[in-house]
Amino acid sequence: MASSPKLNAKIPEGALENKWTKYRSTVHLVNPANKRSLEVIVVGSGLAGASAAASLAEMGYKVKVLCFQDSPRRAHSIAAQGGINAAKNYQNDGDSIYRLFYDTIKGGDYRAREANVHRLAEVSGNIIDQCVAQGVPFAREYGGTLSNRSFGGTQVQRTFYAAGQTGQQLLLGAYSALQRQVGMGAVQLLARHEMMDIVKIDGKCRGIIARDLVTGKLERHFGHAVLLCTGGYGNVFYLSTNAMGSNVTAIWKAHKKGAFFGNPCYTQIHPTCIPVSGDHQSKLTLMSESLRNDGRIWVPKKQGDTRKPTEIPEDERDYYLERRYPAFGNLVPRDVASRAAKERCDAGYGVGASKMAVYLDFAANTERYGKIQATKLNLHNPSKEEIMRLGKEVVKEKYGNLFDMYKQITGEDPYELPMRIYPAVHYTMGGLWVDYNLMTTVEGLYALGEANFSDHGANRLGASALMQGLADGYFVIPYTIGEYLSEEIRTKAIPTDNEAFVKAEAEVQERISKLMNIKGTKSVDYFHKRLGKIMWDKCGMARNKEGLNWAIAEIRKLKEEFWKDVRVPGEANELNPELEKAHRVADFIELGELMCIDALDRNESCGGHFREEYQTEEGEALRDDEKYAYVAAWEYSGEGNFNLHKEELKYENIKIAARSYK
Amino acid sequence: MAAGGFVSVNTGNAKDANNILIPKDDADAAFNAAACIGCGACVAACKNASAMLFVSAKVSQLALLPQGKIEAKNRVLNMVKQMDEEGFGNCTNTGACEAECPKEISLENIARMNREYLY
Amino acid sequence: MSHGNMNLTLKVWKQKNKNERGRFETYQAKGISPDMSFLEMFDVVNESLINEGKEPIAFDHDCREGICGMCSMYINGRPHGPKEGITTCQLHMRSFKDGDTIVVEPWRSAAFPVIKDLVVDIF
Ligand SMILES: Cc1cc2nc3c(=O)[nH]c(=O)nc-3n(C[C@H](O)[C@H](O)[C@H](O)COP(=O)(O)OP(=O)(O)OC[C@H]3O[C@@H](n4cnc5c(N)ncnc54)[C@H](O)[C@@H]3O)c2cc1C
Ligand code: SF4
Ligand code: FES
C-alpha cells in the first residue's frame, strides 16, 4: 500500500529520536518585525486554543481568539478530571520518553503515526514544567515534590493531577497566560462568538465567518492562518460526557471546504460513567479513570442477582477484569474495559434497576488505606470501624469531589455502597487529518487538540488528551507555523470586502434563513436524540456491516426530515440557543453518516472500533495489519459523497504485535 | 473580570518542575482557592456587588505559591484597580458571598488578599 | 412525554434583551422525575413550549457537572438554589416536592446586565 499523493505527512528525515529536535532548529523563522503584521485566528479557547494563542501572542503574532462560551475559561477542557501524563520518571519506576511513546502507540492499537507520538512524548515533560511555573497547583507529597498516579494501559505512575479537577487547573493556567496577552493588547478576544465557516482565497485559508451569538450579526475576520482548536464531536451520540455545547461545526465546515477528515469512526467509549437514569437524560457524567487505581470492578457471579452489593460474599463476585487480564487488571485501557462491561451486562450479569451497570467498589482499598493510616498513627488493634473511618479520609482526599458528584446525581453514598457505572461516549480520536506541522489539507488551516486526528490512533490512553492539547499549543505550533508564515510575510492583510468573504457570508446567511423558515413541528433535540440513538446502537461499542448499512440509510432519512420539519423558535438577530443547536445538529447528522461509512470501510477491529465480524475466540479485537494499517482520510466531494485517501502507517521503531494486556 | 491574575512567564524555558518544592499544605491551600469556577454567585449575593471573594481566590492561589510570590504585590494592586474600574463595589465583610459560593471558597482569602494589599 | 410524576409551577424571569423591561412569566412543569437535574427540568419545559409554538426559556449552561460556572441563576431567592455547595446543574429535582412553586431569576446585580431571560453578562 502506498499513501495517497494528496496526503503528504511531511515527517522529517532522520532517526526517530532526533526528528523533532533537528526539525525544530531548522524550521523557518519569522523575524519579530514581520510577526507584528501577521494575523492568526484561533478558534477555541480550551487547552489547545488558549495555549496556542498565548504562545503565539508572546512570540509577537497578532492573534484573535473565539469561543462560544461567555469566557475562554469555560471551554470544555475545564471539565477534565483525572490528570495529565508526562514522562518525567519522578517515581523512578522505569518511565522514559520511549516508554510513553511505546505505551501510546500500543494503546492506540498501532494506528497512530510514530513521529507525532514520539514528539508528544518528548515535549510531555516541558508541559509540566511550564504549568508549574504558571502556578498550577498540582498535587504534592509531604516532601514537597509532585505526586503521581496510575492510569490505564500503563504500568508506571506518570499521571500528574490536581484532585479531580486537573483540567480546570491546567485551563486556568493557560487562560491566565492568555489574559496576560489580552491585557497587553496582543490578543483580541471574541467570546460568545461561533465560527460558521472558513474563507478560502486561491486555495489558502484566509479567514472565517463568525456569528456574534448575542446580536446574531455575522462578522468577517481575516487571518494569514486559522487554527481550529474546537474540541471533539462526541455529542454526535447525543448522550456523552462532553459539555452540552461541544460540537463538530467548525471542523465540519472546514471539511466541506477541503480539509480531509481522519478516522472519523474512532470513538472512545469510557468504561466508568454514571449510568443513564431515564429518557430525560441530557448528558452523562464521567467518573474519572483515576478511580480505577483504587476501585475494583465486579459483577455478581449469578445472573440477575438482586441482592444488595454489600450482601454478596466475596466468593460470589466476579472481578472480571482481574480474571481476564491478570497483568493489567482493573487498569486495562478504556476500550478493553468498556467492551468487557458490555459483555457482562449483555450476558445478564448487570446490576442496578436497568441491569446495564457494573460495580466499581472501593471497600478493599479503603480498608487497606485505613490499616496504613492506623499504623502511621501508632494505633494498636484498631476496630474495623476505626480502620474504615481512617481509610475513608484518605479516599476522600484523593477523590472527594468525584464521590460528591456521584452522590449528587444518584442519591447514593459511594463511601458506603459501590458505585454503579457503565460505559459512555467520551472522546473522539478522529478529527481533521493534519501533517507533522498540524496543517490540514487546506493550506494555512491548522487543527490542534481533540479536533485533529493525530496522536491517539484507534484508542486514546487516559490523561493523554490534556497532554496532547497542551503539547500542540505550547510546544508544537509555535515552531511549525513558522514553516508556513515565513512564506506569507509579503501577504498584506486582505480586506474583508473581498468577494470570497462576501460569498461565504452570504452562504451562511442563506442557511440561517433556511433553518428559521422551515417552521416545522419538531424541536432540534428531537432530531438530535434520534440521531444519537442510531449512532449508539449501530456505530457505538460494537458495529457490524448490516447495522452500519441500516444506520446510513436511517441517517439519510433523518437528514431529509430535519430539513423539512425542524422548528427553530425566536429570531435570528438575537441570542437564540435553539438556532445555535440547529446549526450544530445539522452538521452532526452529516458527520454521523461519514462515521458509519468509515466504520463500514474498516473491515477489522482495532481500539475503539470493534466490528463484531472481526474478533478472536476470546472476544478480543482482531486487527488486520496487512490491509488496514492506514489512516483513513476522507475528502468531501459534494452532498453525502466522500472519497477515501489512505496514509500508510509505517512502524520502524516498534514491532507491531497483537495487543495483549493479559 | 479577568485582569492581572497571572504569573509573568512565557512559554518555554521553565525549569524542571521538581526544582520548586512546595509544602503539601501550601499546595492544598492554593488548590482550594483555585477551585473557584467564576460563576459570579458571590457578586450576585453581595449587597455591594463586590467581587472580593472571586478576586481574592485568584490572588491567594498565586500568593501561596513561590512562583507567584515575586509579583504578588503588583498583582493585587492591578486586580483591585481593575475591579474598581469595572464598577464592582467594596467589601464590607457581610459574608454573604461565602454562604452562597457553590465551591465553598473561604472568606480567609479576602483577609489574605487584604494582607497582600496593605503590606 | 411524561418522565415522572411531579408537577410544579415555575415563575421565571423573561426579558427579551438588555434594553427591554422584563417580567415574571408562569409555566407549568409537568411529569417531572426526581432524578432530573434542575436544567433537565428546564429542557422538558422548553421542549413543550417549542411544541406549543412558544418561545423557550433562555439560560446559560455547558458542562452540566458543576465546573464551568455558566448555569447562573437565582432559585427561590438563592444563587444556585436551596442546597449548599452545588451549582444549579447539580441541583436535582428530588430537592423539591410535588406541587411546589419555584421562582427563577437571573443574577440580580448591577454588575451583571441581563442579555436575555436568565442569561447575564458576567465577563
Ligand atoms: C468529563 C471529561 C473528563 C476528561 N478528563 C480528562 C483527563 O483527566 N485527562 C485527559 O487527558 N483528558 C481528559 N478528557 C479529555 C479532554 O478534556 C479533552 O480532550 C480536551 O480538553 C480537549 O481540549 P481542546 O482544547 O481540544 O478542546 P475544548 O476544551 O473542547 O475546547 C473547544 C473550544 O472551542 C470552542 N469552539 C468550538 N466550536 C466552536 C465554534 N464553531 N466557534 C467558536 N468556538 C468554538 C469552544 O468555545 C471551546 O473554547 C476529559 C474529557 C471529558 C469530557
Ligand atoms: S461564588 Fe465562589 S465559585 Fe462562584 S465566582 Fe464567587 S468565589 Fe468563585
Ligand atoms: S453548567 Fe457548568 S457549572 Fe453548571
Side-chain angles (χ1 to χ4, degrees):
Chain A
M1 175 199 333
S3 290
S4 153
K6 291 200 179 179
L7 299 172
N8 179 359
K10 302 205 176 132
I11 297 167
E13 296 295 316
L16 184 67
E17 308 77 50
N18 305 330
K19 281 185 202 287
W20 176 238
T21 326
K22 177 137 183 286
Y23 183 68
R24 202 180 53 179
S25 39
T26 52
V27 75
H28 292 140
L29 299 174
V30 179
N31 88 30
N34 286 329
K35 280 192 190 125
R36 280 195 289 276
S37 51
L38 288 170
E39 302 179 34
V40 182
I41 298 178
V42 179
V43 187
S45 64
L47 286 178
S51 59
S55 305
L56 294 174
E58 282 164 14
M59 293 166 75
Y61 294 109
K62 264 174 84 172
V63 178
K64 259 184 201 168
V65 176
L66 285 86
C67 65
F68 64 75
Q69 295 91 345
D70 65 332
S71 160
R73 65 173 285 160
R74 309 216 198 275
H76 168 58
S77 295
I78 199 90
Q81 300 174 348
I84 177 167
N85 289 331
K88 281 284 200 188
N89 195 26
Y90 283 163
Q91 306 306 324
N92 197 24
D93 54 3
D95 202 6
S96 65
I97 288 172
Y98 183 82
R99 196 179 288 277
L100 174 53
F101 159 72
Y102 175 82
D103 286 348
T104 308
I105 294 274
K106 177 183 172 193
D109 217 353
Y110 304 92
R111 290 293 175 264
R113 211 186 263 156
E114 274 194 342
N116 285 52
V117 176
H118 199 273
R119 172 175 70 188
L120 177 65
E122 282 173 63
V123 303
S124 66
N126 303 115
I127 298 174
I128 302 304
D129 301 340
Q130 176 67 19
C131 295
V132 166
Q134 285 168 347
V136 170
F138 283 122
R140 292 189 178 256
E141 304 293 348
Y142 280 102
T145 54
L146 290 156
S147 175
N148 289 113
R149 58 187 172 201
S150 322
F151 260 58
T154 68
Q155 290 171 317
V156 294
Q157 294 202 319
R158 63 160 76 96
T159 306
F160 295 78
Y161 64 99
Q165 287 150 256
T166 316
Q168 178 194 33
Q169 295 311 318
L170 293 174
L171 184 60
L172 292 179
Y175 165 76
S176 67
L178 176 64
Q179 286 302 335
R180 178 167 161 247
Q181 296 304 315
V182 172
M184 298 202 282
V187 172
Q188 189 194 349
L189 200 61
L190 299 159
R192 289 201 198 269
H193 273 67
E194 180 138 342
M195 183 199 114
M196 308 300 289
D197 210 346
I198 62 163
V199 178
K200 263 168 81 176
I201 299 176
D202 299 330
K204 292 180 175 173
C205 181
R206 292 302 190 189
I208 60 165
I209 304 297
R211 180 167 178 268
D212 177 331
L213 299 179
V214 175
T215 62
K217 263 215 192 70
L218 295 182
E219 297 171 357
R220 307 169 193 169
H221 297 278
F222 164 80
H224 288 88
V226 174
L227 276 47
L228 301 182
C229 313
T230 50
Y233 51 84
N235 279 344
V236 65
F237 292 87
Y238 185 70
L239 287 181
S240 83
T241 60
N242 289 9
M244 300 298 287
S246 298
N247 68 87
V248 76
T249 290
I251 60 172
W252 190 253
K253 290 295 154 54
H255 172 57
K256 290 176 90 168
K257 288 252 163 105
F260 292 7
F261 210 114
N263 300 331
C265 83
Y266 288 166
T267 311
Q268 175 159 85
I269 317 270
H270 196 295
T272 56
C273 303
I274 301 179
V276 174
S277 73
D279 55 10
H280 57 264
Q281 195 95 28
S282 60
K283 78 154 279 171
L284 294 168
T285 303
L286 174 74
M287 286 289 107
S288 164
E289 179 159 315
S290 57
L291 292 171
R292 286 200 269 146
N293 268 305
D294 289 320
R296 297 178 68 196
I297 294 181
W298 62 276
V299 291
K301 280 189 180 159
K302 205 169 79 196
Q303 277 174 336
D305 196 330
T306 50
R307 283 176 292 174
K308 269 179 66 175
T310 42
E311 284 162 8
I312 300 178
E314 213 32 54
D315 60 352
E316 292 178 39
R317 301 174 176 194
D318 177 14
Y319 293 92
Y320 58 87
L321 288 178
E322 297 169 29
R323 168 171 60 79
R324 283 178 69 178
Y325 307 101
F328 283 71
N330 291 294
L331 285 170
V332 290
R334 294 173 176 177
D335 53 336
V336 177
S338 289
R339 270 199 297 281
K342 180 178 187 312
E343 188 277 326
R344 283 293 81 188
C345 293
D346 289 350
Y349 297 91
V351 301
S354 65
K355 301 282 167 216
M356 292 305 273
V358 300
Y359 290 127
L360 178 60
D361 197 333
F362 299 90
N365 279 301
T366 307
E367 185 173 339
R368 187 170 59 88
Y369 285 127
K371 283 188 183 147
I372 297 173
Q373 280 303 92
T375 314
K376 274 193 197 159
L377 296 170
N378 278 325
L379 296 179
H380 299 294
N381 297 324
S383 65
K384 171 107 190 196
E385 285 74 51
E386 187 68 13
I387 290 176
M388 291 311 271
R389 190 185 59 74
L390 290 169
K392 273 175 205 164
E393 278 172 21
V394 178
V395 171
K396 184 166 184 190
E397 170 154 351
K398 291 181 132 179
Y399 311 113
N401 74 319
L402 297 171
F403 276 50
D404 290 349
M405 222 191 256
Y406 181 86
K407 190 170 174 196
Q408 267 312 320
I409 294 173
T410 61
E412 284 174 10
D413 182 359
Y415 291 104
E416 302 299 332
L417 288 173
M419 289 182 175
R420 281 175 296 110
I421 49 142
Y422 196 70
V425 174
H426 180 59
Y427 182 90
T428 47
M429 281 74 70
L432 292 184
W433 184 91
V434 289
D435 64 15
Y436 192 72
N437 293 327
L438 304 182
M439 196 194 275
T440 67
T441 49
V442 174
E443 263 194 284
L445 180 69
Y446 294 79
L448 282 67
E450 195 174 339
N452 73 26
F453 88 106
S454 73
D455 297 352
H456 309 294
N459 172 60
R460 173 175 71 79
L461 290 182
S464 285
L466 302 183
M467 169 172 73
Q468 183 224 332
L470 290 179
D472 287 359
Y474 283 136
F475 296 107
V476 178
I477 198 74
Y479 295 100
T480 61
I481 204 170
E483 190 67 17
Y484 177 69
L485 289 180
S486 59
E487 301 290 320
E488 291 291 324
I489 50 179
R490 275 171 220 90
T491 310
K492 294 251 159 18
I494 300 173
T496 54
D497 54 9
N498 177 292
E499 66 175 331
F501 278 95
V502 177
K503 187 160 164 272
E505 185 188 310
E507 281 166 14
V508 173
Q509 187 56 57
E510 193 192 307
R511 185 169 141 116
I512 292 176
S513 311
K514 208 167 146 192
L515 282 169
M516 296 303 302
N517 288 325
I518 298 170
K519 299 195 194 309
T521 63
K522 307 249 166 41
S523 71
V524 177
D525 282 357
Y526 166 84
F527 291 100
H528 198 176
K529 283 181 193 172
R530 268 181 58 193
L531 174 67
K533 181 153 173 33
I534 299 171
M535 294 300 292
W536 178 245
D537 288 348
K538 306 294 178 196
C539 197
M541 253 188 292
R543 305 151 174 196
N544 62 51
K545 186 173 171 190
E546 192 191 354
L548 289 165
N549 276 319
W550 179 86
I552 293 169
E554 277 306 290
I555 293 171
R556 288 184 184 151
K557 276 191 257 168
L558 186 72
K559 180 172 163 187
E560 219 177 307
E561 245 183 88
F562 175 90
W563 284 100
K564 271 198 204 118
D565 200 23
V566 72
R567 174 183 285 171
V568 184
E571 284 154 50
N573 61 354
E574 60 174 356
L575 180 76
N576 189 338
E578 288 296 314
L579 177 58
E580 291 163 30
K581 277 197 282 186
H583 275 293
R584 294 172 188 163
V585 171
D587 293 337
F588 277 139
I589 294 176
E590 295 180 13
L591 165 76
E593 183 179 346
L594 177 61
M595 288 170 72
C596 294
I597 291 174
D598 185 41
L600 192 58
D601 171 73
R602 194 167 279 280
N603 292 311
E604 65 162 350
S605 294
C606 58
H609 168 68
F610 190 73
R611 281 280 300 270
E612 288 168 337
E613 304 96 313
Y614 309 99
Q615 52 180 308
T616 65
E617 267 168 31
E618 289 143 342
E620 305 296 339
L622 197 60
R623 278 196 337 256
D624 181 349
D625 296 326
E626 275 302 91
K627 293 208 194 91
Y628 293 96
Y630 62 75
V631 176
W634 296 89
E635 176 185 23
Y636 182 82
S637 65
E639 188 81 44
N641 285 312
F642 305 92
N643 299 331
L644 175 62
H645 297 271
K646 298 176 185 174
E647 178 195 340
E648 185 189 355
L649 290 167
K650 291 196 201 103
Y651 292 94
E652 288 160 349
N653 299 275
I654 280 187
K655 207 170 130 288
I656 187 160
R659 182 167 163 250
S660 167
Y661 292 96
K662 299 216 173 204
Chain B
M1 212 35 278
F6 50 74
V7 176
S8 297
V9 49
N10 281 357
T11 304
N13 301 318
K15 59 181 177 176
D16 187 85
N18 258 352
N19 277 344
I20 315 175
L21 296 181
I22 301 173
K24 184 170 184 312
D25 292 342
D26 288 355
D28 289 350
F31 171 78
N32 286 338
C36 162
I37 58 171
C39 69
C42 48
V43 184
C46 177
K47 67 182 172 64
N48 304 321
S50 169
M52 281 297 261
L53 191 61
F54 168 71
V55 171
S56 69
K58 190 79 219 170
V59 167
S60 283
Q61 176 208 337
L62 297 178
L64 280 160
L65 298 172
Q67 305 93 301
K69 260 272 163 306
I70 303 158
E71 296 171 279
K73 180 88 191 176
N74 261 332
R75 181 177 309 116
V76 176
L77 295 175
N78 283 335
M79 291 187 79
V80 171
K81 181 161 153 270
Q82 180 78 13
M83 189 162 63
D84 289 343
E85 279 169 8
E86 291 186 15
F88 291 95
N90 292 320
C91 170
T92 53
N93 273 318
T94 67
C97 50
E98 186 186 43
E100 298 299 0
C101 172
K103 295 292 148 185
E104 300 173 332
I105 303 288
S106 155
L107 275 180
E108 272 171 43
N109 290 307
I110 297 188
R112 198 177 290 120
M113 166 151 126
N114 285 337
R115 252 187 339 261
E116 296 288 333
Y117 191 61
L118 294 173
Y119 305 107
Chain C
M1 203 191 323
S2 176
H3 308 267
N5 39 26
M6 288 169 78
N7 294 314
L8 305 149
T9 303
L10 306 180
K11 290 191 189 312
V12 183
W13 188 256
K14 287 288 289 177
Q15 182 171 338
K16 192 162 172 53
N17 55 43
K18 194 157 68 199
N19 307 318
E20 283 179 42
R21 288 176 62 114
R23 73 201 132 70
F24 279 104
E25 192 72 65
T26 305
Y27 302 95
Q28 301 305 324
K30 295 198 187 113
I32 300 303
S33 146
D35 288 333
M36 284 179 191
S37 71
F38 197 80
L39 299 184
E40 285 169 344
M41 183 273 292
F42 263 4
D43 291 343
V44 171
V45 172
N46 276 348
E47 178 85 18
S48 53
L49 287 171
I50 294 169
N51 289 340
E52 291 162 25
K54 296 189 184 137
E55 270 241 11
I57 305 159
F59 61 95
D60 259 338
H61 65 114
D62 197 23
C63 73
R64 295 206 175 184
E65 53 184 65
I67 195 77
C68 75
M70 277 190 93
C71 53
S72 311
M73 59 188 82
Y74 260 76
I75 302 167
N76 287 342
R78 292 193 65 186
H80 299 295
K83 293 191 76 174
E84 308 279 315
I86 54 167
T87 54
T88 302
C89 58
Q90 294 175 298
L91 177 63
H92 276 70
M93 296 314 289
R94 64 180 85 90
S95 305
F96 298 90
K97 289 193 312 293
D98 185 35
D100 276 359
T101 294
I102 308 174
V103 182
V104 194
E105 301 160 78
W107 272 176
R108 36 184 180 188
S109 173
F112 304 144
V114 171
I115 295 175
K116 184 175 183 170
D117 300 350
L118 304 173
V119 179
V120 299
D121 197 356
I122 299 188
F123 277 89

